[in-house]
């Protein structure tokens, strides 16, 4: 096969509070933005001039990022690939066996991460580091990813969502509730790992029976209400599942390292 399955970008379930576009095209002249936080924002085309960027941290989908006239995008991507070779493995998938091998590697890496988490007390597994999702919340989000991009699309299940599934921050809470998700739930680590194991078994069953011919099959059901109404191939849906697993593993490893440094 010649197709390549790798990182994807999509948007869905945007929580529109009537102010989403109020700063589009805005100029901030001599403004103090110390400590400002931008979450799930579209910063396409943003230009920062004659400003102080000290201790700034960026994460997300990055393309065409220039710092003082130097495009650093390729450097950032290559460094991430060096630190996380599973990203390269994902991009190089060409067939059903490639997806199976990718899932095996992800299960191994997540097993290592959960072992680290289980060495911590429950309160640290529930703690957010610098405002990011806690380890438990990250696992809840991956339950949502499996429900939406594997069960609902590939398996065509119209209502697969676990009560503890946690959609992306921009997904309207009322829409999540209508699908049976309790975004305000505070489950234990044990409860979430059980849901996570159940969803992992769903992915494994799909992969066990997957053939190269299946990869091009069209999935007509959207991952969740609010996503663009368009056909998606099985391969693309599975690639999203595995990309999310890769990226959230990276975030989890980063935050686990911070929690492990606690006295």
């Amino acid at each position: 096969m010649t197709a390549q399955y790798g990182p994807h970008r999509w948007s869905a379930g945007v929580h529109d509070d009537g102010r989403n576009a109020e700063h589009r095209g805005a100029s901030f002249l001599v403004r103090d933005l110390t400590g400002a936080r931008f979450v799930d924002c579209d910063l396409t085309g943003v230009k920062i001039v004659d400003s102080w960027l000290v201790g700034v941290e960026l994460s997300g989908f990055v393309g065409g990022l220039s710092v003082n006239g130097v495009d650093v995008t390729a450097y950032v991507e290559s460094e991430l690939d060096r630190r996380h070779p599973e990203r390269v493995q994902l991009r190089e998938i060409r067939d059903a066996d490639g997806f199976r091998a990718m899932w095996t590697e992800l299960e191994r890496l997540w097993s290592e991460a959960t072992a680290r988490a289980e060495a911590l007390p429950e309160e640290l597994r529930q703690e957010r580091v610098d405002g990011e999702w806690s380890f438990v919340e990250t696992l809840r989000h991956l339950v949502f990813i499996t429900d939406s991009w594997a069960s609902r699309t590939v398996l065509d299940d119209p209502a697969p969502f676990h009560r503890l599934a946690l959609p992306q921050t921009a997904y309207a809470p009322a829409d999540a509730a209508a699908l049976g998700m309790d975004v305000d739930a505070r489950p234990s680590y044990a409860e979430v790992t059980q849901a996570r194991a159940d969803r992992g078994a769903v992915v494994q069953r799909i992969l066990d029976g997957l053939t190269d011919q299946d990869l091009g099959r069209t999935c007509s059901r959207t991952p969740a209400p609010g996503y663009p109404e368009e056909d998606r191939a099985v391969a693309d849906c599975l690639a999203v599942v595995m990309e999310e697993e890769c990226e959230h593993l990276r975030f989890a490893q980063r935050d686990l390292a911070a929690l492990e440094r606690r006295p």
Side-chain angles (χ1 to χ4, degrees):
M1 299 180 66
T2 58
Q4 177 174 321
Y5 311 111
H8 293 70
R9 179 67 173 170
W10 67 89
S11 61
V14 175
H15 182 32
D16 188 354
D17 60 2
R19 299 181 300 164
N20 287 19
E22 69 175 325
H23 295 304
R24 181 176 294 171
S27 293
F28 300 93
L29 180 62
V30 194
R31 291 291 182 268
D32 186 349
L33 300 179
T34 301
R37 190 177 186 91
F38 302 87
V39 179
D40 210 346
C41 294
D42 186 347
L43 300 179
T44 302
V46 167
K47 186 173 185 178
I48 301 173
V49 181
D50 289 339
S51 298
W52 290 69
L53 278 77
V54 180
V56 173
E57 182 174 337
L58 306 175
S59 67
F61 178 79
V62 178
L65 176 63
S66 294
V67 178
N68 287 332
V70 179
D71 189 333
V72 300
T73 311
Y75 166 74
V76 172
E77 288 299 304
S78 64
E79 182 63 14
L80 284 173
D81 288 348
R82 184 186 67 81
R83 299 182 184 186
H84 305 279
E86 64 273 12
R87 289 163 46 93
V88 179
Q89 183 176 350
L90 174 62
R91 292 200 303 270
E92 292 180 347
I93 293 175
R94 296 294 185 274
D95 52 25
D97 284 340
F99 278 108
R100 280 186 280 270
M102 183 79 242
W103 188 247
T104 297
E105 177 64 5
L106 285 168
E107 285 192 314
R108 182 187 71 80
L109 292 170
W110 271 107
S111 177
E112 293 175 354
T114 53
R116 292 171 64 185
E118 287 169 5
L120 299 171
E122 175 76 9
E123 59 267 25
L124 292 188
R125 293 194 288 260
Q126 301 277 358
E127 182 177 322
R128 290 185 170 187
V129 176
D130 195 26
E132 301 290 339
W133 273 337
S134 69
F135 191 81
V136 168
E137 289 172 315
T138 295
L139 298 184
R140 289 179 63 190
H141 180 62
L142 292 174
V143 168
F144 170 78
I145 292 298
T146 302
D147 287 347
S148 54
W149 287 95
S151 295
R152 196 172 142 94
T153 55
V154 178
L155 299 180
D156 199 33
D157 183 345
F161 298 104
H162 194 287
R163 181 182 69 86
L164 298 180
L166 185 65
Q168 58 268 34
T169 306
Y171 205 84
D175 293 343
L179 296 171
M181 292 178 276
D182 183 359
V183 296
D184 294 324
R186 293 295 180 267
S188 68
Y189 173 74
E191 290 177 286
V192 174
T193 52
Q194 181 58 61
R196 169 84 163 141
D198 292 344
R199 270 41 186 183
V202 169
V203 176
Q204 189 63 64
R205 285 197 298 272
I206 292 172
L207 295 175
D208 286 345
L210 190 69
T211 68
D212 291 350
Q213 289 70 36
D214 292 331
L215 297 177
R217 176 173 64 81
T218 296
C219 304
S220 57
R221 193 181 297 277
T222 62
Y227 281 73
E229 295 283 348
E230 60 189 28
D231 290 339
R232 298 166 173 84
V234 167
D236 291 328
C237 296
L238 292 176
V240 170
V241 171
M242 297 192 184
E243 181 191 358
E244 288 279 317
E245 293 277 346
C246 284
E247 293 304 296
H248 285 285
L249 172 68
R250 179 164 62 86
F251 302 146
Q253 290 169 331
R254 174 201 64 195
D255 293 345
L256 283 170
L259 294 170
E260 289 166 341
R261 288 193 294 269
R262 296 287 180 82

